[in-house]
Amino acid sequence: KMDVYRPRAALNSELGNFHATDYVDFLSRVTPDNAHEHARSLARYNVGKTGGDCPLFDGLYEFVQKYAAGSIDGARKLMTGQNEIAVNWAGGLHHAKKSEASGFCYINDIVLGILELLQYYPRVLYIDIDVHHGDGVEEAFYVTDRVMTVSFHKYGDGFFPGTGDVWDKGAGAGEFYSVNVPLRDGIDDESYSNLFVPVINKVMEVFQPSAIVLQCGADSLAGDRLGLFNLTTKGHAACVDFVKGFGVPMLVLGGGGYNIRSVARCWAYETAVVLGQDIDENIPYNDYYDYFGPDYRLHIKPTGTENANSREYMENVKIKIIENLRQLNGAPSVQMHELPPANFDAEDDDDQNEAHWRDKKRAEAEFYDNDKDNRM
């Protein structure tokens, strides 16, 4: 059911499909040993600041190359039709900007993956269930109607990154294609589902995505060191299962998570969910078994945190979002370039799939601006 691939290192040119060339070049050259030679650039690009959230460490560039390539190549697996779902738990770093690191994120693998998908799929839906707003991805696609971004996150009280109000809805051609669901502390499984299901149902109805990218940040789980939500692994995974149920090609990514025991539990369980595989509640013995005591169980329980999201507040947020989505007259048609992805680095045994992609050229069952209606 599952193929496992060893990640390669993304090329500078691939990272440059979104990020500024000078920023990529800086990341490739700076190390803790030569940091004194890059003092101005470190400040400019928000890397290595004392007490900052984007530290400089040995192997930084290799790290970003690997996690970015995982998302890029995951997108390509979908484009060739080789896989219906691709998973990169090392990815999902949604805060990185075009020329700046932010929030533990240096390269925005999500944007790079979406840009790959847009070379084949007319419309891509991005869904973010991290406790933090997916600001870097929203910003990258804020003025286009080919990508809809939907972020469920804590908002207010100065919580990082401070963006993602329900009124932030995109601009220009992208107006109403940025969807923000601002939440308060302590939201539980039931309350989360009561918003997630109707919002995503409406999004699927009006946008009709050709592919989906789902960021599964685990800092929205109960007991996270930074997050203040109260979701269980089952509640979090229910979102993954719900999106999977639409049967649209899907790239599943990781994200935040500051309780490593909860993160491991969550993404192990969600891997089973995308596979449609039941797994035992008891964690099997492994090299890290002692980390999961004292109960050694897969699922985590909610804490006693109060849910600050009243029914009235949740209903008002839902009404506003649905009203915004009703402003859209339907899924946009697009002009598509009949070109393969730049730098398609197929493995030897994937050559046939690459040829298949070149033959298909465009996603099936789609109407493009230069098409004629068969009835005309």
Side-chain angles (χ1 to χ4, degrees), residues 262-280:
S262 296
V263 172
R265 286 177 162 98
C266 182
W267 292 345
Y269 181 56
E270 288 176 350
T271 301
V273 167
V274 298
L275 288 168
Q277 181 72 46
D278 292 329
I279 55 175
D280 200 309

Side-chain angles (χ1 to χ4, degrees), residues 99 122 133 176 180 205 218 231 286 373:
S99 299
H133 177 228
F176 303 114
N180 285 296
E205 174 192 332
L231 301 182
N286 60 82
D373 192 308

